[in-house]
Amino acid sequence: MHWSQKKFFLYLAVISISFFSFIIIIAPSELKAALFSPSTQKKQKTIKAYRLKSPIIIDGKLTEEAWRQSGLDDFTQSDPIDGGKPSEKTEVWIAYDENALYVAARLYDSSPQEITLRLGRRDDFVESDWFIFAVDPYFDRRSGYMFAVNPAGSICDWTLYNDINRDSTWDGIWEWATQIDDQGWSVEIRIPFDQLRFPPQENYVWGVNFERRIQRKHERNTFVWVPKDDIGYVSRFARLEGISGIKTGYHLEIWPYTVGQAYFSPEEPGNPFQTGQQYLGNIGLDLKFGLKSNLTLDATFNPDFGQVEVDPAVINLTAFETYYREKRPFFIEGNNIFSEFGRGGVAYNLNINWPSPTFFYSRRIGRSPQGYVTQQGYVKSPDRTTILGAFKLSGKMSGNWNMSLISALTAREYAQIDQSGQRIQQEVEPLTYYGVFRSLKEFSQGHRGIGILATAVVRNLRSEPLTTFLADKAFALAMDGWTFLDQDRNWVLSGWLGGTYLHGSQEAIFQIQQSSLHYFQRPDASHLQLKEDVTSLLGWGGRFQLNKQKGRTLVNFALGALSPGFDPNDAGFQFGGSDLINWSFVLGYLWPHPTKITREAVVAAGPFQSYDFGRNKIWEGFLVLAQGQFLNYWSFSSLIAYNPDTISKTLTRGGPLVKVPYGYEIDLSFSSDTRKPLIFSVSSGLYRRPTIGSYNFSESLGLRWKPRSNFSLSISPEYSEQATEYQWIKKIEDFLKTETFGARYVFGRLHQQVLSTEIRLNWIFTPKLSLQAYLQPFIAVGHYSRFKELARPKSTDFTLYGENGSVVAFSDGEYKIDPDGSGPAPLFTFPNPDFNYKSIRGTIVLRWEYHPGSFLYLVWTQNRHDYAYPGELQLGRDLSRLFSAPGENIFLLKLTYRWNR
């Protein structure tokens, strides 16, 4: 069906309006009245804040007049006895002046010498005693802030969203102090009002909660108790009254920075770009401005978006790209409004064989250049795209509208080419604009909501080959929403619906249609049509979930679809192809209280299926999972799944369908008591297809040693082994091969072994001075054999080369295949696909917060790699070569200073 862009988005808008009208108008009245009983929630606690008459000195001693009054001590135990009486008394106070909120707590302990105190970097929630204060200054019952302090003075802070979720990327500027004495320990906290966002009023009503953790007893006590078979956090906060006459005002923070970098690598004779050393320097400015409208403007000029921690090494033999986690503070802070898209109200978000497309993947901004060099010579290509500038406007407006707007401009990038002393350059990344807008409206204190997400990528394409494979414009528009179907929030309906639009040259759109996300060229897919003369590509997608997430019986039903043209990858990320209809149904049962074996546990089971738009069943199965905690505080997790025979639409990478034999999966993991100085975990996984001898086995071990309160060392070795009979090699055009539509689809049996270890060291000198080290040795070896071609579509029939007259020969590093011996089929070749990739990546970071919000970083990063002996694993030899391989060393010094008003 041929739709114009205007008609397409009009159709999408009609569907969206229908669904979200149901959420906002019909569901709250009709379904609630017809299906569910009245609310059984407990009455909300109410407390009053004390207006200070004299200043508070933040020293943790609780000697001021405000703390001499009777405090709040009505706490309830959540762990280990849900609803039980706390084993130790806790008393808290809350006060304020015109500039800040103050919280104090006296945490009595009958054995103060056994208080668990451990130093950790900021936002590292280490195994220790903790006091936690949470506040909802908007009183929207869905969002807020949380502050945690332990007896050693280590801190964490989070923003709260979607009622039950938290985001540690926010770092507020606040004060704290602790004291340990013969009664236990005490804490004082001062939170400036300019660190919180709330609408100005004469009298304020906020939500608050307090929590205490006693590590040696695995005890958790809360001021507002939420039973374990219930769901909710912010929505249950106590009501805080009495705050008035405070100053909000404007808030301005400026972070100038300077960075210097020295890069040393092995010198390559004759290569003018590989001289062995390179020195770089930069300066820039970050700005944060809190507006009266409760919006925050973040801007960056000449930003430094280099990463302090390296990405882990991986081997990816699929047709899809690897996903890497975002680590740049500008993008991760406040990202929850984007990550929450399509998941509002949902406590259990199950994605069974669903590719989980995201419309915004921030690592697209500043990505590695996508172009390639077509000229001969020595080449120096940038490893990432320069971000000329970026800004972000985010916050909550009146009427419970949350919003975030990001705009960024990245530079045109060139590869430098040296041809016998003559320098030329070739463009490898165009000048590009990225825009993202997200808005979310909440109703009835988070009982339901509706949102919109829009992205735009506009490239200034002016040279080949970029114009032949990149879209010059990419837009996406989507809506999401949720509604609870009863007053107690037992049942929730949540979902999203959106569309994507790409525009580019005929060559670019033709290439995009054939990419792994689409495979429009599939010869046996009658519902797909590969077009050479179009300049745009349209697609739509959506997913809806119905959850019962309170009580002991849990239900999740999910239904999603991605049309063949759906493509969010210019601004977002999708692992796995479109052209998908997916559903799953999972029924679970929860044991929230101790039994004879477990402290808590959950078991769930259910079927799942996936189809393409041609009604081919491309995945199917049934799973059973269980997880929980034993009485000795050891945790466990297990999964068993069975997959019957199905059809693969991706195995031939744009070719015909292939039948995939049945298989089964078994996963099991355990972890020990986190209170001990030595913690270990072990996990095993096995997936087998018995009829073809394919399997995937993995074993990992985790060890964490905590000999002192400020030092920890973790080692996580892992071994995996895979044997797959159908590993893709290449496609050979041959009109004689009529059974497979004029092409030979070549595969091999791959035996792959991967050994890796992640080593992490944390040495915390003070809560503001720390040393961290990360090291990852990695070895991946793969050997190919039993080369073959698909004999017939939609079957498991393959023709093995070397049999029935066909010939396989190997010489000079390549395989020569004659598929029919003396017959007319042409001979073809391919290089030896065996590999032996060895790498070691590591970094050491010294981090000092010398002034609140101001940091000094000293970083050393090293990379080594080696490729010798492909297809052969000899651990001693390979480790020797790895550690003796030439290394790349990067030394970095970065200084930032926070100025605020």
Side-chain angles (χ1 to χ4, degrees):
M1 189 174 184
H2 226 46
W3 286 343
S4 68
Q5 179 184 358
K6 184 176 180 180
K7 288 182 179 179
F8 169 75
F9 282 109
L10 180 62
Y11 177 74
L12 191 65
V14 170
I15 297 177
S16 300
I17 291 171
S18 301
F19 171 70
F20 296 109
S21 296
F22 169 79
I23 284 182
I24 296 173
I25 301 172
I26 301 175
S29 56
E30 301 297 330
L31 289 180
K32 181 173 64 181
L35 300 178
F36 299 101
S37 58
S39 172
T40 58
Q41 291 186 13
K42 286 187 175 182
K43 185 178 179 181
Q44 185 181 29
K45 288 183 176 180
T46 300
I47 62 177
K48 189 176 176 90
Y50 174 79
R51 179 83 187 215
L52 291 175
K53 299 177 182 178
S54 57
I56 296 288
I57 300 174
I58 304 299
D59 55 11
K61 296 181 180 179
L62 309 190
T63 56
E64 288 81 5
E65 176 187 352
W67 316 140
R68 294 175 188 166
Q69 309 172 54
S70 297
L72 303 167
D73 60 0
D74 183 18
F75 281 72
T76 304
Q77 190 178 133
S78 291
D79 284 310
I81 302 174
D82 193 27
K85 182 179 179 181
S87 66
E88 307 285 355
K89 180 181 178 181
T90 304
E91 197 170 9
V92 298
W93 299 262
I94 189 163
Y96 72 100
D97 59 23
E98 65 178 10
N99 296 309
L101 188 68
Y102 298 81
V103 179
R106 159 59 70 179
L107 303 107
Y108 295 93
D109 200 304
S110 56
S111 302
Q113 70 279 4
E114 297 182 19
I115 292 174
T116 306
L117 63 161
R118 176 170 290 279
L119 282 169
R121 269 187 61 173
R122 182 170 190 156
D123 292 333
D124 185 7
F125 199 70
V126 294
E127 296 88 0
S128 74
D129 287 26
W130 286 95
F131 172 74
I132 301 170
F133 168 66
V135 58
D136 170 15
Y138 263 100
F139 202 54
D140 60 9
R141 315 300 296 276
R142 267 181 54 82
S143 65
Y145 305 85
M146 190 156 65
F147 306 84
V149 184
N150 78 0
S154 297
I155 65 166
C156 298
D157 49 14
W158 303 266
T159 55
L160 303 172
Y161 67 99
N162 195 27
D163 191 8
I164 60 173
N165 299 118
R166 63 184 67 176
D167 179 7
S168 65
T169 59
W170 175 75
D171 286 333
I173 306 299
W174 47 288
E175 299 176 60
W176 70 96
T178 62
Q179 288 283 331
I180 300 177
D181 54 30
D182 58 0
Q183 291 185 303
W185 65 290
S186 57
V187 59
E188 284 180 307
I189 297 173
R190 180 183 184 271
I191 306 168
F193 288 128
D194 61 25
Q195 296 297 300
L196 308 176
R197 309 310 297 162
F198 51 88
Q201 298 175 358
E202 291 186 9
N203 298 291
Y204 293 89
V205 176
W206 292 354
V208 294
N209 197 10
F210 311 94
E211 182 177 333
R212 180 183 182 180
R213 302 281 182 101
I214 305 176
Q215 175 66 14
R216 70 180 186 274
K217 301 179 181 181
H218 264 299
E219 185 171 338
R220 184 168 67 95
N221 304 313
T222 58
F223 183 70
V224 178
W225 173 60
V226 179
K228 288 187 177 182
D229 56 0
D230 202 346
I231 289 292
Y233 184 61
V234 181
S235 58
R236 308 306 173 83
F237 280 7
R239 182 184 177 97
L240 176 66
E241 299 177 347
I243 297 179
S244 62
I246 63 177
K247 292 182 178 180
T248 54
Y250 294 93
H251 178 62
L252 176 64
E253 296 181 7
I254 299 175
W255 287 275
Y257 84 87
T258 181
V259 62
Q261 180 175 293
Y263 175 79
F264 302 97
S265 62
E267 182 178 357
E268 182 181 341
N271 187 346
F273 302 122
Q274 198 69 34
T275 61
Q277 55 189 15
Q278 185 179 10
Y279 302 95
L280 302 171
N282 203 3
I283 60 173
L285 183 73
D286 295 336
L287 177 147
K288 184 185 291 285
F289 187 32
L291 306 175
K292 275 275 190 180
S293 59
N294 298 305
L295 297 177
T296 299
L297 174 66
D298 292 271
T300 182
F301 305 94
N302 194 30
D304 171 52
F305 280 152
Q307 294 183 189
V308 171
E309 184 176 338
V310 297
D311 291 319
V314 295
I315 284 290
N316 184 356
L317 300 178
T318 72
F320 303 99
E321 64 179 315
T322 301
Y323 181 91
Y324 290 108
R325 184 172 56 90
E326 179 62 86
K327 301 173 184 177
R328 299 170 294 180
F330 179 86
F331 291 112
I332 61 178
E333 183 176 341
N335 188 57
N336 56 71
I337 192 172
F338 298 105
S339 61
E340 185 186 6
F341 178 81
R343 303 174 182 177
V346 173
Y348 306 109
N349 187 58
L350 301 181
N351 296 313
I352 304 176
N353 202 42
W354 174 250
S356 301
T358 58
F359 285 92
F360 177 49
Y361 175 45
S362 57
R363 287 191 65 151
R364 298 296 185 208
I365 304 175
R367 67 187 302 167
S368 298
Q370 302 169 81
Y372 52 89
V373 173
T374 59
Q375 303 290 327
Q376 297 295 317
Y378 290 108
V379 177
K380 179 185 178 183
S381 187
D383 61 353
R384 60 177 180 261
T385 305
T386 302
I387 302 176
L388 299 174
F391 79 85
K392 175 170 56 179
L393 186 65
S394 60
K396 178 171 285 195
M397 299 179 292
S398 60
N400 275 340
W401 276 102
N402 298 277
M403 67 86 64
S404 185
L405 172 67
I406 296 177
S407 287
L409 185 67
T410 61
R412 198 180 304 276
E413 297 290 349
Y414 296 89
Q416 304 295 320
I417 307 167
D418 185 277
Q419 297 177 329
S420 302
Q422 182 181 1
R423 296 287 179 92
I424 61 174
Q425 62 182 16
Q426 184 171 350
E427 186 178 342
V428 290
E429 184 72 17
L431 180 74
T432 306
Y433 167 77
Y434 295 87
V436 188
F437 175 74
R438 167 70 165 145
S439 185
L440 177 67
K441 166 72 172 176
E442 299 164 359
F443 302 87
S444 304
Q445 296 184 325
H447 198 86
R448 52 192 179 274
I450 186 171
I452 188 172
L453 176 63
T455 66
V457 178
V458 180
R459 300 184 176 98
N460 183 247
L461 296 172
R462 65 183 189 185
S463 62
E464 293 187 357
L466 297 179
T467 57
T468 64
F469 65 88
L470 289 180
D472 58 15
K473 301 180 186 69
F475 302 107
L477 177 64
M479 296 181 69
D480 70 326
W482 77 90
T483 182
F484 288 96
L485 303 179
D486 62 316
Q487 196 66 28
D488 282 346
R489 304 191 179 192
N490 290 290
W491 290 83
V492 61
L493 176 66
S494 177
W496 66 268
L497 189 65
T500 61
Y501 170 78
L502 305 183
H503 180 274
S505 67
Q506 291 184 5
E507 296 89 343
I509 299 301
F510 186 66
Q511 292 294 324
I512 292 170
Q513 291 178 82
Q514 299 177 78
S515 68
S516 60
L517 206 62
H518 305 290
Y519 287 147
F520 275 25
Q521 70 273 33
R522 285 167 47 197
D524 55 352
S526 59
H527 65 289
L528 300 176
Q529 185 178 359
L530 180 63
K531 300 178 181 180
E532 299 186 46
D533 58 348
V534 297
T535 57
S536 64
L537 180 66
L538 298 165
W540 62 268
R543 191 170 193 246
F544 305 96
Q545 294 188 80
L546 177 65
N547 273 22
K548 181 185 180 297
Q549 51 195 32
K550 285 180 60 176
R552 298 201 171 192
T553 303
L554 309 175
V555 178
N556 173 271
F557 174 75
L559 174 64
L562 304 174
S563 78
F566 182 77
D567 191 337
N569 273 358
D570 286 88
F573 186 94
Q574 180 178 318
F575 185 87
S578 296
D579 188 15
L580 175 69
I581 301 170
N582 168 269
W583 71 268
S584 62
F585 176 78
V586 175
L587 184 65
Y589 190 81
L590 174 70
W591 288 269
H593 304 125
T595 66
K596 293 182 179 180
I597 301 175
T598 63
R599 291 192 174 275
E600 58 186 21
V602 62
V603 173
F608 51 91
Q609 286 184 336
S610 295
Y611 294 82
D612 67 7
F613 276 58
R615 300 183 181 180
N616 297 296
K617 188 186 297 181
I618 55 177
W619 197 244
E620 182 180 23
F622 189 92
L623 63 79
V624 179
L625 60 88
Q627 61 184 40
Q629 188 180 69
F630 294 114
L631 295 176
N632 63 354
Y633 295 102
W634 283 48
S635 299
F636 68 92
S637 178
S638 61
L639 180 144
I640 300 175
Y642 173 77
N643 306 113
D645 294 352
T646 51
I647 299 295
S648 172
K649 67 182 178 71
T650 60
L651 201 61
T652 54
R653 303 196 180 187
L657 299 170
V658 180
K659 184 178 179 181
V660 179
Y662 79 91
Y664 60 86
E665 178 179 3
I666 302 174
D667 296 321
L668 184 64
S669 64
F670 295 94
S671 60
S672 65
D673 187 346
T674 59
R675 298 174 298 175
K676 306 299 182 181
L678 182 63
I679 304 171
F680 77 90
S681 61
V682 59
S683 63
S684 300
L686 173 66
Y687 190 89
R688 288 198 64 204
R689 297 190 186 277
T691 58
I692 57 173
S694 293
Y695 64 88
N696 191 336
F697 169 76
S698 64
E699 186 78 30
S700 64
L701 177 67
L703 295 172
R704 189 179 182 199
W705 181 42
K706 304 176 293 182
R708 299 175 57 184
S709 64
N710 68 333
F711 183 89
S712 68
L713 176 67
S714 63
I715 303 175
S716 304
E718 182 174 354
Y719 172 76
S720 65
E721 183 175 344
Q722 175 186 0
T724 176
E725 194 66 28
Y726 302 150
Q727 181 60 47
W728 170 258
I729 300 291
K730 68 183 303 185
K731 172 186 174 182
I732 303 295
E733 300 289 348
D734 187 346
F735 71 92
L736 298 173
K737 190 64 176 172
T738 57
E739 301 94 333
T740 51
F741 306 95
R744 299 184 185 275
Y745 296 92
V746 183
F747 296 83
R749 179 177 177 83
L750 169 65
H751 180 239
Q752 177 180 297
Q753 296 170 279
V754 178
L755 298 96
S756 66
T757 299
E758 288 194 352
I759 303 171
R760 295 182 183 271
L761 179 147
N762 290 284
W763 194 351
I764 313 300
F765 306 108
T766 73
K768 297 186 177 183
L769 178 63
S770 63
L771 179 72
Q772 288 189 308
Y774 170 81
L775 185 68
Q776 187 207 25
F778 181 90
I779 299 176
V781 179
H783 174 64
Y784 287 77
S785 62
R786 289 178 54 83
F787 298 107
K788 60 183 76 67
E789 66 180 45
L790 181 66
R792 277 172 293 280
K794 223 171 185 177
S795 74
T796 56
D797 296 337
F798 284 80
T799 300
L800 186 65
Y801 295 142
E803 296 181 354
N804 300 320
S806 61
V807 179
V808 179
F810 179 75
S811 64
D812 299 326
E814 70 176 10
Y815 284 93
K816 298 179 177 60
I817 307 294
D818 188 341
D820 62 355
S822 59
L827 179 144
F828 63 89
T829 65
F830 55 84
N832 182 10
D834 289 355
F835 58 88
N836 186 333
Y837 174 68
K838 302 173 284 292
S839 80
I840 184 167
R841 301 183 178 194
T843 184
I844 298 176
V845 180
L846 179 68
R847 179 181 183 268
W848 176 32
E849 186 177 5
Y850 62 91
H851 179 75
S854 305
F855 296 92
L856 172 68
Y857 294 95
L858 293 173
V859 184
W860 172 36
T861 299
Q862 184 179 92
N863 296 306
R864 297 173 183 266
H865 51 83
D866 182 80
Y867 303 93
Y869 301 102
E872 303 176 24
L873 175 62
Q874 291 185 19
L875 187 58
R877 179 202 62 197
D878 290 340
L879 286 175
S880 176
R881 289 195 61 89
L882 175 57
F883 284 101
S884 62
E888 300 172 349
N889 292 277
I890 302 173
F891 297 91
L892 181 143
L893 170 64
K894 182 176 181 180
L895 181 68
T896 68
Y897 180 77
R898 173 183 175 268
W899 179 88
N900 72 302
R901 184 186 70 82

